[in-house]
Each structure stands twice: as C-alpha cells, then as structure tokens.
C-alpha cells in the first residue's frame, strides 16, 4: 500500500484536523511529540502528514505532493488551483467581508476609484468586478489589514471577519458580506482516481464524525 499524504494548514486548523483524524481511527502519534520534524508518519496505516503555510496547501495538492489538503475556503478561492473540493468540515467558520469606516457607507458608491487593501487580491478584485461592476485599486498587504483605512492607505479592506472584535476595536464596520468561509477537504485529481476507495471511506467517516455534514 502506498502512503496517503496530507498537507495541513499549520495552526489551530491543523490541531482540530488531527483531533478529527484521531476520532475516525487515522491518528498520528508522531505529530504529538515536540520536535523539529516536518513530516509525520503513521506506518501502520501508511499515512503521512505535513504542515505548511495555508496558502501553500492548494499548491502541494494540485501538484500531487499531497493527496489530500485541509485548508480554509478563503485560501481555496484566492489560489484557484486545479483540484477537487470534497467536504466542508464546518470548522473555523467565519466570513469574507468588505469593511471600512462607518462613513464609507454613504460615500463608497460615489467614489471614482476605490482603494482596497487586502491579503486576498483575487477575491477582492472579483467581488467588485462581478458584484459591483467596478474596477478597484488593489493594495496587497500581508497582515494587520485593519490598519490600512485608519492610516489612510486605503478606503476599505477586504478581510476575514470572525467575531468582529478586531474591526470594532479599530472603529471599523462590515460594509458588505462577500461569502461564508470554513475549512474544506481538498483532493488531488489523480489521487481521487488512484485512491478512490481510501479517500471516500475517510470522507464518509469525517462526515459522520462531524455530525452527518
Ligand atoms: C484575522 C483577520 C482579522 C481577524 C478577524 O487575522 O485578518 O484581522 O482575524 O477576527 P475577529 O473578527 O474575530 O476579530 P489574523 O489573526 O489571522 O492575523 P493577520 O492580521 O495576519 O491577518
């Protein structure tokens, strides 16, 4: 039997995913040990796991370096890779939204050019083009995006909103919701054929463990 390889977005989502893997009888003891290893193996079940930056997970899966990936819908939309999205795990639920100062509610529609700061240039550009029929100036940032409208770098932001407390603490508000987000199981297209029963069996167990998604 060949190894089934998993790419996980490092952080809380990877931890929640490994709890789920344990629940469905596909655990990885090696991953619980503190070490600087990058790849973790369950020899008995022929499983391999590695952690990567969230935005790299779809890349590993598209090229087949990982058969399966677990990553947020935000990253899947932004990366737009050639792969199958198989299951919504309903973990890490939040939303993508346009946010800015309250005063933007009245002014935004009359603006000639809207400057949008975001970690998600593709999602932002597509939203304004398709839903608003507007071209916008995208300013790509890599974090703490809420700063941009406060210091005058942009008019609005496109970012993830979970509890809304970051926006509130910075005097910003949701202007428009773009889409709901949550963690998804993604699968390489060839792996889906070669390892069909193994992957479908795992997805069935995950669905059951998550309360019949
Ligand atoms: C995310 C997101 C918001 C915040 C939303 O940032 O970009 O800043 O969480 O959460 P809230 O609505 O519950 O306040 P993250 O912590 O991932 O860090 P970042 O600044 O690097 O984007």
């Amino acid at each position: 039997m060949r190894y089934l390889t998993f790419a996980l977005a490092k952080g809380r989502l990877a931890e929640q995913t490994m709890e789920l893997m344990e629940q469905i009888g596909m655990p990885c003891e090696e991953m619980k040990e503190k070490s600087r290893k990058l790849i973790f193996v369950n020899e008995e079940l022929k499983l391999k796991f590695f952690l990567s930056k969230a935005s790299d997970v779809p890349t590993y899966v598209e090229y087949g370096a990982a058969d399966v990936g677990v990553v947020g819908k935000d990253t899947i939309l932004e990366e737009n890779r050639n792969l199958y999205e198989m299951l919504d795990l309903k973990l890490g639920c939040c939303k993508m939204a346009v946010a800015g100062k309250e005063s933007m509610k009245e002014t935004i529609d009359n603006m000639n050019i809207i400057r949008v700061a975001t970690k998600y240039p593709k999602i932002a550009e597509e939203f304004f083009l398709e839903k608003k029929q507007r071209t916008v100036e995208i300013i790509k940032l890599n974090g703490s995006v809420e700063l941009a409208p406060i210091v005058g770098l942009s008019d609005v932001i496109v970012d993830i909103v979970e509890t809304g407390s970051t926006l509130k603490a910075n005097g910003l508000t949701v202007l428009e919701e773009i889409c709901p987000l949550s963690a998804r199981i993604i699968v390489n297209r060839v792996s889906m054929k070669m390892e069909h029963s193994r992957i479908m069996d795992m997805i069935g167990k995950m669905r059951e463990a998550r309360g019949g998604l």
Side-chain angles (χ1 to χ4, degrees):
M1 188 159 60
R2 72 184 272 280
Y3 282 100
L4 201 61
T5 302
F6 293 75
L8 310 178
K10 63 182 166 198
R12 216 170 102 74
L13 179 57
E15 285 163 27
Q16 290 173 316
T17 303
M18 291 319 292
E19 279 169 28
L20 180 62
M21 294 304 285
E22 187 144 3
Q23 274 181 50
I24 66 167
M26 297 171 78
C28 185
E29 297 305 321
E30 232 183 54
M31 222 161 167
K32 295 177 187 166
E33 298 160 16
K34 278 256 168 291
S35 80
R36 296 187 67 87
K37 264 194 204 170
L38 293 173
I39 300 190
F40 309 92
V41 183
N42 176 332
E43 280 301 341
E44 192 195 334
L45 298 178
K46 289 278 178 268
L47 305 173
K48 267 187 199 166
F49 299 89
F50 64 83
L51 302 173
S52 80
K53 210 175 139 95
S55 52
D56 294 336
V57 169
T59 312
Y60 284 109
V61 172
E62 182 184 72
Y63 286 92
D67 303 290
V68 179
V70 185
V71 70
K73 180 70 176 174
D74 52 324
T75 306
I76 298 171
L77 289 170
E78 186 63 29
E79 293 298 313
N80 195 30
R81 295 283 176 172
N82 187 15
L83 41 76
Y84 294 122
E85 184 184 316
M86 294 300 295
L87 179 67
D88 182 352
L89 288 174
K90 303 270 169 72
L91 289 169
C93 294
C94 51
K95 63 193 175 196
M96 189 65 76
V98 183
K101 292 183 185 162
E102 183 84 32
S103 60
M104 268 295 144
K105 278 185 181 163
E106 289 95 57
T107 44
I108 195 167
D109 288 333
N110 304 321
M111 291 176 79
N112 240 333
I113 287 178
I114 307 171
R115 289 173 308 158
V116 184
T118 186
K119 286 205 285 189
Y120 302 91
K122 185 174 171 292
I123 294 175
E125 187 167 12
E126 258 178 39
F127 173 76
F128 280 100
L129 200 61
E130 284 166 21
K131 298 279 158 56
K132 302 270 146 198
Q133 282 79 50
R134 295 198 58 150
T135 53
V136 290
E137 184 182 340
I138 303 286
I139 303 168
K140 168 81 165 70
L141 290 178
N142 297 296
S144 302
V145 177
E146 291 85 357
L147 263 175
I150 303 172
V151 299
L153 177 63
S154 73
D155 302 305
V156 295
I157 61 173
V158 164
D159 200 16
I160 293 172
V161 181
E162 193 179 354
T163 61
S165 54
T166 310
L167 290 181
K168 197 157 174 246
N170 291 291
L172 304 173
T173 183
V174 170
L175 300 170
E176 200 141 6
E177 293 188 7
I178 298 180
C179 62
L181 301 171
S182 53
R184 311 290 160 98
I185 296 287
I186 55 175
V187 178
N188 172 269
R189 285 181 171 269
V190 177
S191 306
M192 200 60 220
K193 291 198 183 73
M194 307 297 286
E195 297 288 341
H196 190 261
S197 60
R198 243 171 131 193
I199 291 171
M200 291 314 288
D201 182 59
M202 176 191 77
I203 286 172
K205 285 179 183 156
M206 283 177 161
R207 187 170 275 146
E208 211 173 299
R210 293 289 298 138
L213 291 172

